[in-house]
Amino acid sequence: MKRIILIGYMGAGKTTLGKVLARELNLELIDLDWYIENRFHQSVTQLFATRGEEGFRQIERNMLHEVAEFENVIISSGGGTPCFFDNMEYMNQQGLTVYLKATPETLRTHLRMGKQKRPLVAQKNDEELDVFIHESLNKREPFYNQARLIFDTGLLDNGTRIQETVQLLVETIRHSLNTGVQG
Ligand code: S3P
């Protein structure tokens, strides 16, 4: 039984890499945000608006406890998932956690293109986004760094880079599964 859990900041490439990785490893991809949106028939943005961040975090935790019971899956968590409740400890118990680590510059580039769906940054201009990334990454890294594996990712702005990154990631994951890093 395999359960791989991708963690990392918004825009690090969890979903992008998760999709290709799932294909390579023949596992199903479960994206936690999509799972929540399906279950609640509301977008993450709507959930933030109607229930506040606190309400969203409670839902996120509850849904994490559902998906982290599934077998033979790759779970792509939300950027904030590891940083609330005992989620990080729980994820480490449930699977092989992989921190997709990107520099603030890479995150900024990815997020400038994809901030609309992300309520925490949707309204920010470029300058505010830079400050936000810097400050929140500092707060979040102690959680992310508890992952079993830390994998440096770069810009994922074309298919070749995505494919190359996934190849390396597959090797890293296979190695750690074979040497029993998990749990
Ligand atoms: C969040 C990240 C988002 C989503 C929500 C909050 C965060 O997921 O869960 O907007 O707190 O970093 P992605 O990391 O997939 O963008």
Side-chain angles (χ1 to χ4, degrees):
M1 190 277 287
K2 286 201 194 85
R3 195 181 293 123
I4 294 164
I5 309 177
L6 303 179
I7 68 164
Y9 200 81
M10 290 176 276
K14 300 181 296 289
T15 305
T16 306
L17 296 175
K19 278 185 197 162
V20 188
L21 191 61
R23 238 186 359 243
E24 291 284 325
L25 295 175
N26 205 17
L27 298 170
E28 187 187 348
L29 175 69
I30 308 282
D31 182 286
L32 185 56
D33 283 338
W34 297 345
Y35 189 84
I36 292 170
E37 291 181 340
N38 264 323
R39 281 291 297 274
F40 285 80
H41 303 283
Q42 280 188 40
S43 67
V44 169
T45 302
Q46 286 168 328
L47 288 168
F48 263 75
T50 54
R51 301 174 187 238
E53 180 170 356
E54 217 174 296
F56 174 78
R57 296 302 173 193
Q58 193 62 55
I59 291 171
E60 184 181 44
R61 177 191 176 275
N62 295 344
M63 295 300 102
L64 173 67
H65 279 249
E66 282 193 16
V67 301
E69 292 290 331
F70 298 163
E71 299 195 347
N72 298 316
V73 288
I74 295 185
I75 297 165
S76 168
S77 65
T81 315
C83 315
F84 292 85
F85 309 102
D86 60 350
N87 291 351
M88 190 62 222
E89 200 183 327
Y90 173 69
M91 289 191 283
N92 272 334
Q93 279 164 20
Q94 293 299 109
L96 175 67
T97 48
V98 183
Y99 171 25
L100 298 179
K101 182 173 177 160
T103 63
E105 292 70 33
T106 298
L107 295 172
R108 171 214 283 156
T109 308
H110 289 167
L111 278 178
R112 280 186 186 178
M113 293 184 291
K115 64 180 184 184
Q116 283 333 314
K117 292 179 304 184
R118 295 172 164 117
L120 291 178
V121 292
Q123 307 302 327
K124 299 199 187 304
N125 63 31
D126 288 352
E127 226 170 276
E128 291 166 341
L129 182 64
D130 286 353
V131 174
F132 184 80
I133 290 172
H134 178 77
E135 289 180 356
S136 54
L137 192 57
N138 274 341
K139 286 191 203 138
R140 289 177 168 196
E141 277 226 296
F143 295 96
Y144 296 156
N145 283 331
Q146 293 170 40
R148 301 273 181 237
L149 276 181
I150 298 180
F151 182 85
D152 284 305
T153 61
L155 269 188
L156 301 168
D157 55 358
N158 64 56
T160 311
R161 286 198 196 184
I162 293 171
Q163 202 57 48
E164 284 168 2
T165 308
V166 168
Q167 288 317 319
L168 272 176
L169 190 50
V170 166
E171 281 169 33
T172 313
I173 288 174
R174 286 217 170 106
H175 178 76
S176 68
L177 289 174
N178 289 338
T179 52
V181 168
Q182 176 174 359

